[in-house]
Amino acid sequence: MAAWTWRFETADGAEVQPAVQPEEFTTQGDAESWVGEYWQQLKEGGADQVRLFEDATEIYGPMSLHAEEAANADEAEASEA
C-alpha cells in the first residue's frame, strides 16, 4: 500500500520540522485534506512550502503556503492598473 507524506520547506527549499506533526496518509485525498486544514499553522510555524510524495516519488511541489497572500497582492495590483 502506498504511503503519502509531506515534506515541509522554507522558501529556499531547506527542509524544516512542521509545527503540526502529520500522520502517514493512505490516500492522496487524505494528505491534501490534512494540509488544507493545517496550512496556516504550518506557515506560522516556519514552513513556506510543501511537497507531496507517494512513497519516494514526488507527486508535486513546491506548493506555497502563502498562496492566499500572493492572490491578494495580485488582485491589488490588478485594481491599481
Side-chain angles (χ1 to χ4, degrees), residues 36-58:
E37 184 174 339
Y38 292 104
W39 69 270
Q40 194 161 11
Q41 288 115 313
L42 295 166
K43 181 181 75 161
E44 290 169 358
D48 295 306
Q49 60 192 26
V50 294
R51 295 177 189 270
L52 181 63
F53 289 83
E54 179 182 14
D55 295 325
T57 304
E58 184 174 327

